[in-house]
Amino acid sequence: MTDGKPTGEVLVAPSTVSRKIFYIAASGVLTFLISNALEQPVATSVTLSILIGGIALMVRFLVDFERRLAVVEALSRAGQKRMELLVGEAFAKIDDATELFRLIEASKLPPGLVEGLVRHSSKITPHSPSIVYQFVQAELQDMSECLKQLAEGGTVTYYGEDRDWLLGLTTYATTSIDAISLASVDRGLWYSEIGQRYMEAQRQAVERRVAVRRIFILEPDDDADIEWACAEQRKVGIHVRVLERSRIPAALKVQVLDFIIFDEVVSYETTPAAAVTDTDRPAVAETQLVLREHRVRDRVRVFEALWDAAHEPGAAVAPAQRKA
């Protein structure tokens, strides 16, 4: 016990056989001397000495036994508490693992996909290269937050221009893709590498009988780039219309932004930045995936209103002719 509190350890004073023999012998000698001083017969003195020595031996034995029993009981209680703690932690971990596996089985995602993620991520340990460990940890945190927002129907934000979301959603769309293209975001997109990949993904979506529609919002200084982009997209089966900004209904002017609605469930939205890139393509400040039902419905309403106000594009002009 330290400062009045039990420490879980009991200290036992050393007790040796020689010390016990000394105590017993001293008791016997002292008893013999006292009885002899009282002028008792020698036989009586010896008998009393032996008796007192035996009693001292028994008392010493009982004291040692009680002390050792107390030590055993203290160790037993401490061991029991430790065992209860370990068992409780083990059962808690088992419960967590059982609940996790139950959720995996209840999920509509392929079980092997989730199990593979767990198995592969478990191979990254603090003993891995620091840069790898920190990078994987950050990626898993971002993925966890992304899945949380997707599952709860929230909003996921990527700071900058994303390509994986755009191509992935286009690849897995099943019913419709409705897009509004602003020159402030899409200028030069269709000549770029990501634009070509996006065009191919849309072509494959059309082959899967996905209805793809796009509205180009025309600025006063737009040239044959838009006409060429319209012609190229119509070649792959995309329904295209154009709408001059001046002809946007007044009630919708503040609601027009660059967005793509996939299956009327997810809205992919981009916000342009003030800067431009080295390729003269507008820079994108952030990209958002919006799953909030009321916002997606609002985007669908805006798109349908603009689609009704838009019209078919004019004749296409090839890039070579435009540059000449």
Side-chain angles (χ1 to χ4, degrees):
M1 181 175 294
T2 304
D3 298 332
K5 298 180 180 180
T7 62
E9 295 182 1
V10 180
L11 300 178
V12 181
S15 177
T16 62
V17 176
S18 59
R19 182 174 297 181
K20 291 180 181 180
I21 293 174
F22 173 77
Y23 287 149
I24 295 170
S27 299
V29 170
L30 181 61
T31 302
F32 180 81
L33 293 176
I34 293 174
S35 61
N36 191 42
L38 296 175
E39 297 181 352
Q40 297 293 328
V42 176
T44 302
S45 298
V46 173
T47 302
L48 288 174
S49 298
I50 295 173
L51 178 62
I52 297 300
I55 294 174
L57 176 63
M58 291 297 298
V59 170
R60 186 68 183 179
F61 172 78
L62 291 175
V63 169
D64 287 346
F65 177 78
E66 182 179 12
R67 183 179 299 168
R68 292 179 182 276
L69 182 61
V71 172
V72 172
E73 290 178 348
L75 292 176
S76 177
R77 287 193 297 269
Q80 184 178 0
K81 290 181 179 179
R82 285 196 296 269
M83 182 61 67
E84 290 175 354
L85 181 61
L86 291 175
V87 171
E89 292 177 351
F91 274 107
K93 292 179 180 179
I94 292 173
D95 290 342
D96 291 342
T98 303
E99 176 66 12
L100 180 60
F101 276 107
R102 186 188 68 78
L103 292 175
I104 292 175
E105 292 178 355
S107 173
K108 292 184 179 180
L109 294 174
L113 185 64
V114 180
E115 292 175 3
L117 175 63
V118 175
R119 290 181 186 277
H120 297 322
S121 61
S122 66
K123 296 178 182 179
I124 305 298
T125 68
H127 300 293
S128 301
S130 177
I131 186 173
V132 174
Y133 178 77
Q134 297 294 337
F135 176 74
V136 170
Q137 186 177 25
E139 287 294 304
L140 289 176
Q141 289 175 347
D142 290 343
M143 182 185 298
S144 177
E145 180 62 23
C146 179
L147 292 176
K148 177 177 180 293
Q149 293 298 327
L150 292 175
E152 296 177 353
T155 300
V156 187
T157 301
Y158 178 87
Y159 296 101
E161 183 177 19
D162 173 82
R163 59 185 294 153
D164 294 333
W165 291 350
L166 176 63
L167 297 179
L169 289 170
T170 304
T171 300
Y172 298 111
T174 58
T175 58
S176 64
I177 301 174
D178 296 328
I180 291 181
S181 293
L182 301 182
S184 59
V185 177
D186 289 351
R187 180 178 289 113
L189 170 66
W190 309 108
Y191 302 108
S192 66
E193 179 265 343
I194 178 60
Q196 293 298 311
R197 290 183 181 274
Y198 180 32
M199 183 75 78
E200 174 61 19
Q202 291 177 103
R203 184 191 66 77
Q204 294 177 8
V206 171
E207 290 184 350
R208 299 194 308 272
R209 300 185 182 279
V210 176
V212 183
R213 298 185 294 175
R214 174 164 284 100
I215 302 173
F216 285 98
I217 304 299
L218 300 180
E219 303 291 345
D221 59 345
D222 280 338
D223 54 15
D225 279 339
I226 296 298
E227 296 180 9
W228 178 81
C230 290
E232 290 298 306
Q233 297 198 26
R234 295 175 74 177
K235 287 180 182 178
V236 299
I238 300 174
H239 302 285
V240 179
R241 289 186 181 182
V242 295
L243 178 62
E244 294 78 8
R245 183 171 288 276
S246 60
R247 295 184 57 187
I248 297 175
L252 299 178
K253 286 184 181 294
V254 297
Q255 301 182 57
V256 175
L257 67 156
D258 197 275
F259 64 77
I260 309 169
I261 307 169
F262 295 92
D263 292 348
E264 296 189 358
V265 173
V266 182
S267 178
Y268 175 95
E269 304 177 3
T270 54
T271 303
V276 293
T277 63
D278 296 337
T279 59
D280 292 332
R281 275 202 61 204
V284 175
E286 66 178 25
T287 306
Q288 287 189 330
L289 288 185
V290 180
L291 288 90
R292 299 185 186 279
E293 187 176 353
H294 70 280
R295 282 188 57 179
V296 175
R297 285 201 309 267
D298 187 62
R299 297 290 184 260
V300 172
R301 178 186 60 80
V302 171
F303 180 87
E304 294 297 342
L306 294 177
W307 184 260
D308 292 338
H311 58 86
E312 296 291 330
V317 179
Q321 295 175 346
R322 174 180 58 80
K323 294 178 180 178

